[in-house]
Amino acid sequence: MRYLLILFSSVVISGCVGDSEQGISNQEVSDGTSVDSRGELLGTDSDNNGVRDDIDSYILDNYSEPKRDAVRQVARAFQNVLTVDRFDTEALDQASSDQFKAIVCATEVYGSDRAGAFKMIEVMEALTTNSQERLSAYIDYTSARSGSVSSYPEGGTCE
């Protein structure tokens, strides 16, 4: 449990770090997969699953079936914080709770491969915040959450 709290805190704090420090460029992931960095905050989500199509494609290409749902949940949680009303405490708390649940789910699905889970979470964060507008919205969210406390999720965390 202590590891997950540190992991969650690290993910939220790392939102203030530029993409280049995480090894992800704004245009292309290290394996050559193209991602949408045109600057539109939400990008295209043609199937309305809460995950940008370019990130969905990346997930399909890079993660096996047992992990894909957890990876999508993490991607969706990062995507949701970009549009949360930073003046609405309840909305901020819900976004934080959803993000924490996604992280806990991922660590459960990854099992003993915590390094793999953490790397995946970093990649989803970097892909989600790969334009100035997206990064700015994410920093606004983390600033609005600064000083707040999140409770460890109870019950099932995977959607």
Side-chain angles (χ1 to χ4, degrees):
M1 184 162 133
R2 174 182 238 169
Y3 177 79
L4 291 176
L5 290 173
I6 293 169
L7 174 64
F8 179 70
S9 299
S10 297
V11 168
V12 171
I13 291 168
S14 68
C16 297
V17 176
D19 294 338
S20 62
E21 292 182 27
Q22 295 180 19
I24 306 293
S25 76
N26 283 347
Q27 298 285 332
E28 195 173 276
V29 181
S30 60
D31 69 356
T33 304
S34 178
V35 292
D36 174 11
S37 61
R38 294 176 298 184
E40 296 174 13
L41 184 61
L42 296 179
T44 303
D45 179 15
S46 59
D47 61 2
N48 294 314
N49 68 350
V51 179
R52 283 189 350 235
D53 291 347
D54 60 316
I55 295 175
D56 243 345
S57 178
Y58 180 84
I59 292 168
L60 281 171
D61 291 344
N62 292 281
Y63 297 96
S64 61
E65 192 55 50
K67 296 178 181 174
R68 279 189 193 141
D69 288 340
V71 177
R72 276 195 191 97
Q73 185 176 345
V74 168
R76 190 170 23 262
F78 279 118
Q79 184 72 20
N80 286 339
V81 303
L82 299 182
T83 59
V84 69
D85 180 350
R86 62 187 176 127
F87 300 105
D88 182 340
T89 305
E90 286 183 33
L92 287 167
D93 288 346
Q94 185 61 55
S96 176
S97 176
D98 291 346
Q99 200 172 35
F100 203 175
K101 284 180 184 176
I103 291 168
V104 171
C105 173
T107 58
E108 289 171 357
V109 169
Y110 273 75
S112 63
D113 183 14
R114 293 193 186 272
F118 190 63
K119 180 62 179 168
M120 176 276 293
I121 291 165
E122 285 181 325
V123 168
M124 290 302 109
E125 178 187 45
L127 292 176
T128 302
T129 60
N130 70 337
S131 73
Q132 187 59 46
E133 183 179 9
R134 292 172 184 151
L135 183 59
S136 179
Y138 189 65
I139 291 171
D140 287 347
Y141 163 76
T142 59
S143 295
R145 290 290 300 162
S146 179
S148 63
V149 177
S150 297
S151 299
Y152 191 85
E154 295 180 11
T157 57
C158 294
E159 296 174 349

